[in-house]
Amino acid sequence: MAVAQRIYAEALFGAAKDAGRLSQVHEALADFAAAAAESPELRAVLRNPQLESSAKAAILADLAGDEEPLFTHFLQVVAEKGRAAELEEIAKEFERLMAREERRLTVELTTAKELSDAEAAEIVAQIEHASGRKVEATRRVDPELIGGIVLRAGTLQVDASVRGRLERLRTDLVRS
């Protein structure tokens, strides 16, 4: 994450929190980021270096409308500062700040076979208990794990898979 993107996300987060509009701004930014992800035309406008910053600001203000003035103003400032192409990354950083604020942890559970809903719920409950946070989990299957689980939360990864154990054993044997 670039420093500038973090600064813009933190500035928007702080302003929205101070104004008591955090959830509304979060929703507006998330909607905008989703629209940008789904629209190659919008991404092209945001990333076009030949388009004047003031023109981008006007386009973004039109897209944002008047529902959330703080967010609309933020879009204009970002465009005028030449950072419109970074809005999707700013939105990701803002989402991280929201997760921290809401004491929410996003994890990815990777297993060798598909987990039942009950098994996944039990694992999530254990993570919630250990972390003291609300956990949102996505599940993925990787048959190469052989067995066990790999848990990824942000940059933290816990590998309790059979493949991971075999790799560690191999590394230990090579060192000896």
Side-chain angles (χ1 to χ4, degrees):
M1 181 68 55
V3 173
Q5 295 159 350
R6 185 177 311 116
I7 290 169
Y8 280 96
E10 287 174 352
L12 178 60
F13 184 86
K17 189 172 182 178
D18 291 347
R21 311 256 331 132
L22 197 54
S23 64
Q24 294 88 341
V25 169
H26 176 237
E27 183 178 342
L29 182 56
D31 290 347
F32 181 85
E38 294 173 10
S39 171
E41 296 85 6
L42 178 55
R43 279 195 313 278
V45 166
L46 295 175
R47 294 179 179 152
N48 186 344
Q50 296 175 335
L51 192 57
E52 293 283 330
S53 295
S54 58
K56 286 183 187 180
I59 291 168
L60 292 175
D62 278 349
L63 288 174
D66 295 331
E67 288 183 36
E68 185 47 61
L70 181 61
F71 176 67
T72 303
H73 182 67
F74 172 77
L75 287 179
Q76 290 174 308
V77 168
V78 168
E80 288 168 2
K81 298 291 183 184
R83 300 283 184 174
E86 300 171 37
L87 277 165
E88 290 179 80
E89 293 302 316
I90 292 169
K92 288 177 186 173
E93 180 65 15
F94 190 92
E95 184 60 38
R96 188 188 65 75
L97 293 168
M98 282 298 296
R100 185 177 67 198
E101 177 75 12
E102 296 172 343
R103 299 198 39 79
R104 186 172 24 98
L105 182 62
T106 303
V107 298
E108 180 183 84
L109 304 172
T110 305
T111 54
K113 65 177 185 72
E114 186 69 37
L115 293 175
S116 70
D117 290 340
E119 290 169 327
E122 183 179 330
I123 292 169
V124 167
Q126 290 174 2
I127 297 168
E128 286 178 340
H129 179 74
S131 68
R133 299 168 104 184
K134 171 77 175 119
V135 173
E136 294 175 353
T138 57
R139 297 187 283 189
R140 198 168 69 86
V141 175
D142 180 359
E144 292 183 15
L145 293 180
I146 304 168
I149 186 169
V150 175
L151 170 69
R152 181 172 290 126
T155 59
L156 174 69
Q157 178 173 310
V158 178
D159 187 346
S161 68
V162 173
R163 180 182 69 188
R165 289 182 200 145
L166 290 172
E167 272 299 310
R168 288 188 295 278
L169 179 60
R170 183 184 70 76
T171 302
D172 289 345
L173 289 172
V174 170
R175 281 191 210 147
S176 299

